[in-house]
C-alpha cells in the first residue's frame, strides 16, 4: 500500500508533484501516482493536483470513479489540493459554464476580471502567472517553517471565494486579495504550485508528509 497517493485523472503535472514529494523526504516506494479509487481510499494521505479547466476536471473524476473516493479522502485523512485541485474542493465554479465541485469547502471559483491594475496603476493580465507573496491567515501545521509573506508561484485565471472566511488559510493579491490557501479539517489546499516554488514549496510538501491531519482540535 502506498503511503501517499497522487491522484491521476489526466490533468495534473503529476511527475513534478511526485518528484517534489521525493525531494521533500518521501521514500520512492511510499508514493504512488494512481487513478484507482481503491488506492486513494487505502492511502494514508492524498494529493489532488490539477491543471486545466474545472469542467474537464470534474468530468474526469466522475468518469474514472474517483469522485467519491476523493471526497472521502478529503474528509478523513491528510489531504492536499493543488491549484485546480483546490478549486475542485469548492461547491461550484463559474468556469466551463458553471459546474459543481466536490463541496468540501463551501464557496465557488470565479474569474479574475479583465482590466484590473496593480497599486502602481499598471495593467494586470489574466491569467495571474508568476510569483506572489502569500499572507498567512491562520496558524496551521503546513505553514511551519515558512515565513509569513513568502513568495509562491501561481498560474490561474479563477480564484476561490469561500463562504466562511475562517476557511481561508492564506491570501495573495492580483488586483484584489484572494484566497491562496484553504483549510478544512484534514484538508489543506493551495492555489499556487508548491512544486514550482523552490525551498518554500518543498517545505510545505515536507510539512504535509509529517502532518497528522489535526487542526483546530
Amino acid at each position: 500500500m502506498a503511503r501517499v497517493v497522487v491522484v491521476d485523472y489526466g490533468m495534473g503535472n503529476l511527475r513534478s508533484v511526485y518528484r517534489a514529494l521525493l525531494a521533500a523526504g518521501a521514500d520512492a516506494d511510499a508514493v504512488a501516482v494512481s487513478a484507482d479509487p481503491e488506492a486513494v481510499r487505502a492511502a494514508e494521505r492524498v494529493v489532488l493536483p490539477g491543471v486545466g479547466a474545472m469542467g474537464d476536471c470534474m468530468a474526469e473524476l466522475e468518469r474514472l470513479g474517483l469522485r467519491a473516493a476523493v471526497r472521502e479522502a478529503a474528509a478523513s485523512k491528510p489531504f492536499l489540493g493543488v491549484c485546480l485541485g483546490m478549486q475542485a474542493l469548492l461547491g461550484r465554479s463559474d468556469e466551463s459554464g458553471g459546474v459543481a465541485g466536490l463541496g468540501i469547502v463551501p464557496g465557488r471559483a470565479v474569474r479574475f476580471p479583465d482590466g484590473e491594475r496593480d497599486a502602481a496603476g499598471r495593467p494586470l493580465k489574466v491569467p495571474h502567472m508568476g510569483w506572489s507573496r502569500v499572507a498567512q491567515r491562520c496558524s496551521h501545521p503546513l505553514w511551519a517553517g515558512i515565513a509569513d509573506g513568502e513568495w509562491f508561484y501561481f498560474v490561474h485565471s479563477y480564484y476561490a471565494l469561500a463562504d466562511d472566511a475562517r476557511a481561508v488559510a492564506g491570501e495573495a493579491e492580483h488586483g484584489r486579495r484572494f484566497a491562496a490557501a484553504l483549510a478544512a479539517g484534514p484538508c489543506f489546499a493551495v492555489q499556487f504550485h508548491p512544486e514550482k516554488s523552490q525551498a518554500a514549496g518543498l517545505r510545505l510538501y515536507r510539512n504535509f508528509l509529517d502532518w497528522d491531519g489535526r487542526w483546530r482540535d
Side-chain angles (χ1 to χ4, degrees):
M1 178 186 74
R3 190 167 72 91
V4 185
V5 166
V6 180
V7 182
D8 178 8
Y9 58 102
M11 295 184 61
N13 48 341
L14 302 171
R15 303 315 300 177
S16 294
V17 173
Y18 175 81
R19 288 194 297 268
L21 288 166
L22 298 189
D27 294 331
D29 59 359
V31 182
V33 177
S34 178
D36 181 359
E38 294 312 311
V40 174
R41 290 188 169 98
E44 293 180 13
R45 58 195 69 232
V46 173
V47 181
L48 180 68
V51 176
M54 181 72 161
D56 295 335
C57 165
M58 299 311 300
E60 285 303 291
L61 289 176
E62 191 70 43
R63 184 182 70 82
L64 294 166
L66 284 163
R67 183 183 182 117
V70 169
R71 287 193 84 255
E72 292 164 16
S76 64
K77 65 186 71 177
F79 185 100
L80 179 63
V82 176
C83 196
L84 184 60
M86 169 173 147
Q87 295 178 17
L89 298 173
L90 298 167
R92 188 165 185 82
S93 174
D94 290 353
E95 193 173 14
S96 305
V99 60
L102 295 169
I104 298 297
V105 180
R108 79 182 204 274
V110 300
R111 190 181 188 277
F112 284 112
D114 294 317
E116 291 207 310
R117 296 177 178 272
D118 66 14
R122 294 170 296 212
L124 293 169
K125 295 180 179 179
V126 180
H128 170 217
M129 182 181 301
W131 295 86
S132 291
R133 291 185 181 274
V134 173
Q136 299 171 16
R137 292 301 177 222
C138 67
S139 176
H140 194 283
L142 265 69
W143 290 139
I146 299 173
D148 189 11
E150 183 60 86
W151 294 88
F152 288 93
Y153 190 82
F154 291 80
V155 183
H156 62 123
S157 298
Y158 287 75
Y159 64 96
L161 285 176
D163 289 353
D164 186 346
R166 292 173 297 179
V168 178
E171 291 183 318
E173 289 192 18
H174 187 67
R176 60 188 57 208
R177 296 192 73 77
F178 67 89
L182 299 173
C187 177
F188 193 85
V190 294
Q191 184 63 68
F192 53 82
H193 288 275
E195 67 280 1
K196 297 182 179 179
S197 298
Q198 300 179 0
L202 289 182
R203 180 57 191 259
L204 191 141
Y205 276 126
R206 188 177 311 121
N207 291 341
F208 173 68
L209 292 171
D210 292 337
W211 184 34
D212 63 7
R214 289 184 294 179
W215 179 59
R216 287 182 176 171
D217 288 343

